[in-house]
Amino acid sequence: MAARIAQHRGAGLVIGVDLVNERLDRASAHGVSCLDLRRHEKDLGDVVREVTGGRGTDAAIDAVGMEAHGNPVIKAAQWATGLLPDALAQPFMEKAGLDRLGALYAAIGLVRRGGTVSLSGVYGGAVDPLPLLRMFDKQLQFRMGQANVWRWVPEILPLLTDGDPLGVDGFATHHLPLEEAPQAYAAFQAKQDGMIKTLLRP
């Protein structure tokens, strides 16, 4: 959806980076230039700079956020924190929380000097190590935060019309009853059955 909105807002070239086949296929079907991270993990920056005339992207969106998959240490820490009573878990995450930061580091690396990095994915760690020297040297702007829904309602509502310019009506890959939510989340987390976005109906 971030790629679709970038196109709608007039971006000349939209590059999507992912490692889930279904997401790559969906973005490609909408004219996004897609790069499979499994093939380009080592040379992603070189490939992006090549297609952007050596500059890097004007902006990068990290839509991953708090993702523990693939990092057993962080996944174990998040699991262990979930076992703590709330009174202990919240202070622990506020003081010692770590996130997996691969997507954020990639965004910082891919964006051009003076570019913008937007974080729509949620991060919860309080001691995440950031490459401040690189961020400062590249003179980057950062935009982030929770969904400020009321701020964007006047701009979003006109896009939710019969014309459906963002393809919202067909965005969900699955439509399920609300009582199947636990199984649906498990399937989504395991990347099963092509599940990308599920609409739960009460």
Side-chain angles (χ1 to χ4, degrees):
M1 186 53 75
R4 293 185 194 185
I5 291 170
Q7 290 174 318
H8 175 75
R9 305 234 348 140
L13 170 65
V14 178
I15 302 169
V17 180
D18 210 310
L19 44 69
V20 176
N21 290 332
E22 291 82 2
R23 289 199 295 247
L24 290 165
D25 292 343
R26 284 163 63 92
S28 293
H30 280 82
V32 174
S33 298
C34 290
L35 298 173
D36 189 329
L37 186 61
R38 294 165 296 191
R39 289 186 54 215
H40 296 289
E41 188 170 6
K42 303 292 186 199
D43 65 349
L44 183 61
D46 293 335
V47 173
V48 169
R49 281 185 288 277
E50 183 177 331
V51 298
T52 57
R55 307 176 63 232
T57 61
D58 293 324
I61 300 172
D62 168 4
V64 177
M66 204 180 316
E67 172 65 73
H69 306 318
N71 188 320
V73 174
I74 294 175
K75 185 174 182 179
Q78 289 180 356
W79 173 82
T81 302
L83 299 177
L84 294 173
D86 289 346
L88 296 175
Q90 184 171 347
F92 177 77
M93 283 306 291
E94 288 174 356
K95 292 186 171 60
L98 285 170
D99 295 295
R100 182 177 177 207
L101 300 173
L104 177 56
Y105 290 159
I108 291 168
L110 298 176
V111 74
R112 66 169 172 80
R113 288 184 170 276
T116 300
V117 175
S118 294
L119 307 180
S120 63
V122 176
Y123 285 96
V127 293
D128 291 329
L130 296 177
L132 290 175
L133 178 60
R134 188 174 195 195
M135 292 158 56
F136 181 81
D137 179 60
K138 291 185 76 171
Q139 305 165 59
L140 301 181
Q141 300 180 70
F142 284 80
R143 300 296 304 266
M144 65 193 85
Q146 302 289 349
N148 190 354
V149 176
W150 289 111
R151 159 64 179 87
W152 298 107
V153 163
E155 294 182 44
I156 292 172
L157 282 180
L159 302 176
L160 303 177
T161 62
D162 290 340
D164 193 22
L166 297 178
V168 173
D169 288 342
F171 196 70
T173 56
H174 293 70
H175 296 78
L176 298 170
L178 184 60
E179 56 267 20
E180 292 184 25
Q183 300 93 316
Y185 187 80
F188 169 76
Q189 189 176 34
K191 311 291 189 282
Q192 295 173 342
D193 193 29
M195 186 176 289
I196 299 297
K197 188 65 70 174
T198 300
L199 180 63
L200 297 171
R201 299 189 181 280

